[in-house]
């Protein structure tokens, strides 16, 4: 039979799903309407003076008049005006809000480079164990041995999979890891005990044109300047360009390189590239954003990297987004180890663990405490649950899923570099009929209950659609994504206005995104 969904997409389906896989889409499986959610009364409209959902227990301490302890300038002139509702209405309010958001728990998230994959709930269960969850960051080492050991063991696994010699758990995110790594590099080059390293003369960091935008920002913040490294036709580092930008090497501090790259491609010349940077007296930093593609299959330290960061939320299954907390630990070769941040964890021969608060050449603190402890518990749980073979399987399945999508979609959307990819690939919306753009494809996917892929990145690909399925998605989910993408491609030709005006199924359509950032409306 022929069915039409509420947002105008038509597909031929049958009760058993016949037709899927040949371009038809079972739109009944799409999230196409917020229905009553848009019409529901807000908690302010439901508010009744004096109504309470919870009766708090007695204070347990003497009541204090705020006017007796707070100056007038910080006291409210009148009550805050919070809604007064019952517990059931409060629950419905928050449940309704949750349905307005996309999340990995209710939708496919092919978000290239950002790697939104499933976070197993066992991670949360372990993190909630009272003796871990109830620790206070100011507790002493003798009261925190379990947490110190978990953090130390997490660092040991990161050393093993990176092929490097030491790890700092300080950085709170990937970009913070970049910043910390460059601070360590700067300290190494400027070490007064080693004037032969070049010191202030070495100020240039080479960055490929496909790099994450945070790379040059981190360089600027640490006092380096940047020099662009061009890609060749296959999306890899142009070796002739590399030789040219290195020149005589006197000012080269190092190279920042993402491998696999943001095009989802492994750099076949990576060992030679590292050798050339080292020959010029520089250091090699690897942006480990895409480590999930090579985990357990190759180690950055083995092909010449001196320092790298991990995104634990991507490779080792952290919650991602919402402002944190996060983690972007860095791993370094032994020559950089003396410059790592403090405090750090030391393992004693008697099996105990201690916090080391000072180190002569350390760059010092980069944050208030040495790590986000709960994040380490989650990642350690994930590492141990998978084991060595499971960690390899993460990379294998991430690569398999990405190539499956690439092959199935390449005749519908042009793949920019159409060859075997790693964890992700980049297609382009350039040349679609009726002037349809990448942003139109992204918005239309929302109507089908699929989060948009990353768009317009990397910058070297026009109208980029950066697609990463991750290793956690089933073949059935990937097949449905292909069906949806093919259906949207057909709409671009036969019903372009529906695509251009999407999304149609959410509580809002297309906001003015610049205005939304500058003048956010956060009430509903």
């Amino acid at each position: 039979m022929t069915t039409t969904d509420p947002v105008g997409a038509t597909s031929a389906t049958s009760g058993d799903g016949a037709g899927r896989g040949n371009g038809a889409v079972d739109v009944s499986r799409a999230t196409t309407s917020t229905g009553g959610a848009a019409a529901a009364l807000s908690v302010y409209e439901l508010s009744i003076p004096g109504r309470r959902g919870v009766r708090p227990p007695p204070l347990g301490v003497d009541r204090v008049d705020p006017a007796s302890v707070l100056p007038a300038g910080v006291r409210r002139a009148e009550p805050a005006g919070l809604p007064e509702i019952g517990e059931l209405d409060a629950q419905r309010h928050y449940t309704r809000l949750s349905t307005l958001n996309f999340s990995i728990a209710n939708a496919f998230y092919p978000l290239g480079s950002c790697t939104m994959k499933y976070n197993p709930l066992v991670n949360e269960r372990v993190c909630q164990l009272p003796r871990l969850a109830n620790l206070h960051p100011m507790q002493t080492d003798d009261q925190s041995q379990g947490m110190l050991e978990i953090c130390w063991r997490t660092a040991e696994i990161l050393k093993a999979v990176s092929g490097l010699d030491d790890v700092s758990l300080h950085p709170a995110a990937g970009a913070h890891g970049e910043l910390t790594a460059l601070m360590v590099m700067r300290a190494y080059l400027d070490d007064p005990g080693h004037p032969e390293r070049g010191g202030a003369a070495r100020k240039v960091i080479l960055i490929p044109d496909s790099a994450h935008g945070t790379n040059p920002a981190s360089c600027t913040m640490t006092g380096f300047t940047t020099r662009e490294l061009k890609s060749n036709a296959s999306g890899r580092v142009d070796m002739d360009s590399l030789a040219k930008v290195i020149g005589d090497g006197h000012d080269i501090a190092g190279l920042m390189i993402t491998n696999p790259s943001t095009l989802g491609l492994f750099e076949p010349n990576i060992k030679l590239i590292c050798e050339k940077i080292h020959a010029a007296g520089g250091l090699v930093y690897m942006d480990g954003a895409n480590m999930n593609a090579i985990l357990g299959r190759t180690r950055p330290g083995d092909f010449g990297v001196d320092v790298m960061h991990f995104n634990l939320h991507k490779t080792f299954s952290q919650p991602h987004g919402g402002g944190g907390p996060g983690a972007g630990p860095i791993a370094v070769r032994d020559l950089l180890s003396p410059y790592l941040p403090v405090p750090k964890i030391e393992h004693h021969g008697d099996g105990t663990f201690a916090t080391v608060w000072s180190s002569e050449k350390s760059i010092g603190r980069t944050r208030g405490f040495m790590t986000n402890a709960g994040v380490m518990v989650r990642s350690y749980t994930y590492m141990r649950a998978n084991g060595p073979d499971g960690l390899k399987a993460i990379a294998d399945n991430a690569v398999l899923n990405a190539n499956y999508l690439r092959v199935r979609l390449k005749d519908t959307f042009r793949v920019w570099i159409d060859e075997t990819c790693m964890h992700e690939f980049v297609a382009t919306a350039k040349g679609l009929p009726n002037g349809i753009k990448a942003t139109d494809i992204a918005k239309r996917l929302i109507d089908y209950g699929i989060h948009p892929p990353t768009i317009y990145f990397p910058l070297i690909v026009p109208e980029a659609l950066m697609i990463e399925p991750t290793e956690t998605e089933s073949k059935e989910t990937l097949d449905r994504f292909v069906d949806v993408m093919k259906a949207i491609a057909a709409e671009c030709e036969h019903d372009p206005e529906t695509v251009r005006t999407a999304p149609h199924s959410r509580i809002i359509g297309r906001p003015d995104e610049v205005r939304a950032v500058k003048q956010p409306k956060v009430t509903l």
Side-chain angles (χ1 to χ4, degrees):
M1 65 179 179
T2 299
T3 60
T4 303
D5 78 345
V7 295
T10 301
S11 68
T13 64
S14 69
D16 63 359
R20 292 181 64 227
N22 61 359
V25 181
D26 179 2
V27 295
S28 66
R29 299 180 64 193
T31 303
T32 55
S33 176
T34 56
L41 295 175
S42 73
V43 288
Y44 291 94
E45 293 170 309
L46 292 170
S47 180
I48 301 294
R51 181 164 291 171
R52 295 288 182 271
V54 175
R55 297 287 181 184
L59 287 176
V61 294
D62 294 335
R63 183 179 295 276
V64 175
D65 179 8
S68 68
V69 294
L70 296 175
V74 298
R75 299 197 306 267
R76 291 185 181 275
E78 55 187 47
L82 298 175
E84 299 177 73
I85 58 175
E87 181 179 344
L88 179 56
D89 286 329
Q91 183 188 53
R92 286 173 176 166
H93 167 69
Y94 286 108
T95 300
R96 181 172 64 88
L97 289 182
S98 75
T99 67
L100 303 182
N101 289 326
F102 271 86
S103 80
I104 196 66
N106 62 18
F108 178 39
Y109 246 91
L111 198 62
S113 191
C114 287
T115 315
M116 295 290 282
K117 71 182 186 182
Y118 175 62
N119 308 133
L121 295 181
V122 66
N123 298 356
E124 303 304 315
R125 177 68 183 90
V126 174
C127 201
Q128 291 168 12
L129 293 173
R131 293 187 181 183
L132 297 177
N134 295 335
L135 278 176
H136 189 280
M138 296 300 289
Q139 286 185 246
T140 57
D141 285 355
D142 63 305
Q143 298 171 339
S144 311
Q145 285 294 297
M147 184 65 80
L148 291 174
E149 181 173 358
I150 286 173
C151 292
W152 180 84
R153 288 186 179 277
T154 300
E156 289 297 298
I157 294 173
L158 295 179
K159 286 160 60 174
V161 299
S162 66
L164 293 167
D165 304 306
D166 206 349
V167 164
S168 170
L169 302 178
H170 272 239
H176 193 205
E178 292 176 12
L179 181 70
T180 304
L182 288 165
M183 291 170 66
V184 168
M185 290 168 62
R186 185 73 271 172
Y188 168 83
L189 293 170
D190 290 345
D191 189 332
H194 295 276
E196 75 280 0
R197 294 174 184 168
R202 296 194 177 276
K203 58 185 179 180
V204 175
I205 299 287
L206 307 180
I207 301 180
D209 55 11
S210 62
H212 289 101
T214 52
N215 288 180
S218 297
C219 288
T220 299
M221 291 181 68
T222 47
F224 291 106
T225 59
T226 62
R227 193 174 296 164
E228 187 177 72
L229 186 56
K230 293 293 185 182
S231 298
N232 58 25
S234 67
R236 274 72 169 206
V237 170
D238 186 305
M239 298 304 289
D240 291 336
S241 175
L242 176 65
K244 182 177 180 180
V245 296
I246 289 176
D248 62 12
H250 75 281
D251 60 353
I252 299 300
L255 165 73
M256 298 183 82
I257 188 167
T258 306
N259 189 39
S261 72
T262 56
L263 288 167
L265 302 173
F266 191 84
E267 177 55 66
N269 291 317
I270 186 64
K271 194 171 190 301
L272 179 59
I273 290 168
C274 292
E275 289 173 355
K276 288 185 176 297
I277 296 297
H278 291 152
L283 299 165
V284 178
Y285 162 85
M286 192 184 96
D287 185 321
N290 302 326
M291 187 69 184
N292 56 305
I294 60 175
L295 190 62
R297 292 300 177 186
T298 187
R299 304 193 309 172
D302 294 342
F303 51 70
V305 167
D306 299 300
V307 53
M308 65 169 289
H309 90 270
F310 293 89
N311 285 336
L312 293 191
H313 58 271
K314 294 173 63 172
T315 301
F316 295 107
S317 189
Q318 284 304 312
H320 188 180
I330 61 171
V332 300
R333 204 172 293 284
D334 54 7
L335 57 86
L336 296 176
S337 183
Y339 308 95
L340 288 176
V342 290
K344 56 186 178 181
I345 299 169
E346 187 176 80
H347 183 206
H348 292 165
D350 61 359
T352 62
F353 299 85
T355 304
V356 178
W357 291 92
S358 63
S359 179
E360 181 183 358
K361 296 184 177 183
S362 169
I363 62 172
R365 285 182 177 270
T366 60
R367 55 178 300 163
F369 295 94
M370 75 174 79
T371 190
N372 286 328
V375 169
M376 297 303 151
V377 173
R378 291 177 174 94
S379 284
Y380 183 66
T381 302
Y382 185 73
M383 292 168 174
R384 292 300 301 268
N386 280 280
D389 291 338
L391 295 181
K392 292 177 182 178
I394 287 169
D396 293 350
N397 289 324
V399 171
L400 177 63
N401 282 358
N403 280 284
Y404 180 73
L405 284 186
R406 176 185 61 82
V407 171
R408 289 212 58 200
L409 285 174
K410 67 179 184 178
D411 293 333
T412 306
F413 292 88
R414 178 190 167 193
V415 175
W416 195 250
I417 305 292
D418 186 18
E419 59 181 77
T420 302
C421 63
M422 300 299 289
H423 60 299
E424 66 191 3
F425 65 96
V426 182
T428 177
K430 184 179 181 181
L432 288 176
N434 298 304
I436 296 297
K437 305 292 186 183
T439 189
D440 301 322
I441 303 298
K443 301 295 186 183
R444 183 59 173 148
L445 277 166
I446 295 171
D447 286 330
Y448 288 94
I450 295 174
H451 193 282
T454 301
I455 58 174
Y456 299 114
F457 183 78
L459 300 178
I460 60 175
V461 180
E463 297 295 325
L465 296 164
M466 191 182 195
I467 298 170
E468 179 178 5
T470 80
E471 78 280 2
T472 58
E473 299 293 346
S474 68
K475 179 177 179 295
E476 289 72 25
T477 297
L478 303 187
D479 285 338
R480 181 172 178 270
F481 176 65
V482 170
D483 291 347
V484 168
M485 290 293 282
K486 289 184 176 181
I488 294 174
E491 291 173 347
C492 293
E493 184 172 358
H494 302 297
D495 189 11
E497 193 59 21
T498 294
V499 181
R500 254 194 299 269
T501 55
H504 306 276
S505 63
R506 310 307 294 176
I507 197 166
I508 61 171
R510 289 204 190 189
D512 179 333
E513 295 182 2
V514 174
R515 184 180 176 190
V517 171
K518 293 183 177 180
Q519 300 175 335
K521 180 181 177 183
V522 296
T523 59
L524 183 61

